[in-house]
Amino acid sequence: MKGKFIVLEGSDGSGKSTLALKIKDYFIKKGYEVEITREPGGTDISEKIRELLLDINNKEMDYKTEALLYAAARAQLVSQKIIPWIKEGKIVISERYVYSSLVYQGFGRNLGINEVKKINDFATSGIKPDLVILLDVDPEKGLKRKLSINGGDRLENEDITFHKSVYEGYKKLKSLFPEIVTVNAEGTIEEVFEDIKILLRRLP
Ligand code: TYD
């Protein structure tokens, strides 16, 4: 089978990591080789960039710097891991991709979706996923889940207005990118995964 690239997107605390593991199991049981990765991160260099981005002490970081660092981490991940894995015929599952930058930096930070898309087209050489699953959860609920677990990173500690604009950004993005499919993520993990399985079965 040809390699496949599946992306999980959604607000903080929407359950991406747990669902990525369930999708992995689903494909492994079917006999596929599967790789999971996360953004920002997934390579040694990208994980170092992640530390810079999420360090709660980096309060002076300019929004353009932030957008470029996310794109830089992504460029490394795409060239070092994602492209080779797809070429090897693997199923690649990524927690977040370009869409996160479009909403968090483009909408949330007001840098503009077109500007952010430009640097990301450059960073990714335009590699597009086969399926983008957008986990839809009320931003306040998601954030509460996250902050109760670990106190939150630099982005999670932004105020609720920022997270609401990220949530609205995801909704707007849907009309621009037909590969995005929304799944209601307010139910239990099992319920959400039942809906995801329908999408996975439809993959060509
Ligand atoms: P992530 O590790 O996915 O956090 P979580 O597990 O809480 O969803 O992402 C870290 C933070 O980085 C998260 O708040 C979203 C933000 N982010 C961006 O702002 N732009 C991006 O391009 C990406 C990939 C993440």
Side-chain angles (χ1 to χ4, degrees):
M1 168 173 151
K2 221 172 110 265
K4 288 264 171 284
F5 182 21
I6 299 168
V7 169
L8 286 165
E9 285 283 352
S11 313
D12 294 276
S14 53
K16 291 183 292 298
S17 308
T18 316
L19 289 162
L21 287 172
K22 291 194 82 74
I23 298 173
K24 179 179 181 178
D25 280 354
Y26 171 91
F27 281 113
I28 283 183
K29 283 192 189 123
K30 291 191 178 299
Y32 296 109
E33 279 193 79
V34 184
E35 300 282 356
I36 295 189
T37 189
R38 68 162 181 187
E39 282 210 22
T43 71
D44 290 348
I45 293 173
S46 312
E47 290 289 333
K48 284 186 186 155
I49 300 174
R50 178 185 175 94
E51 279 173 31
L52 276 175
L53 277 164
L54 301 187
D55 186 343
I56 195 126
N57 296 312
N58 282 340
K59 292 201 186 342
E60 74 272 31
M61 189 181 291
D62 184 84
Y63 293 162
K64 285 186 181 163
T65 311
E66 181 181 291
L68 288 163
L69 285 174
Y70 277 112
R74 181 167 298 129
Q76 187 64 33
L77 176 67
V78 167
S79 69
Q80 192 182 331
K81 301 268 171 107
I82 293 181
I83 292 178
W85 282 335
I86 295 174
K87 281 195 181 143
E88 289 163 18
K90 291 178 173 170
I91 306 269
V92 182
I93 305 162
S94 182
E95 293 173 40
R96 300 189 180 279
Y97 191 52
V98 172
Y99 312 90
S100 284
S101 284
L102 299 178
V103 289
Y104 282 77
Q105 282 65 53
F107 285 103
R109 300 300 202 199
N110 255 320
L111 290 178
I113 179 166
N114 287 331
E115 295 306 296
V116 177
K117 184 170 182 300
K118 269 188 228 159
I119 56 170
N120 277 284
D121 282 345
F122 174 66
T124 61
S125 312
I127 299 290
K128 276 185 124 188
D130 297 283
L131 172 65
V132 181
I133 300 168
L134 173 56
L135 299 168
D136 188 346
V137 69
D138 175 79
E140 281 181 79
K141 276 192 204 159
L143 205 59
K144 255 188 216 145
R145 266 194 215 163
K146 284 303 288 228
L147 296 179
S148 67
I149 297 170
N150 59 9
D153 59 39
R154 192 175 61 90
L155 275 283
E156 283 158 4
N157 275 284
E158 285 293 336
D159 64 20
I160 188 65
T161 327
F162 174 77
H163 291 282
K164 282 188 176 154
S165 95
V166 163
Y167 181 72
E168 290 309 315
Y170 270 124
K171 284 194 178 164
K172 284 191 195 139
L173 217 58
K174 256 205 72 151
S175 56
L176 301 173
F177 297 89
E179 65 272 28
I180 301 180
V181 183
T182 308
V183 167
N184 180 336
E186 294 206 346
T188 64
I189 287 290
E190 288 311 322
E191 284 164 350
V192 180
F193 188 58
E194 280 307 307
D195 288 344
I196 290 181
K197 273 201 281 196
I198 297 172
L199 304 176
L200 302 181
R201 283 192 208 109
R202 273 193 220 145
L203 275 173

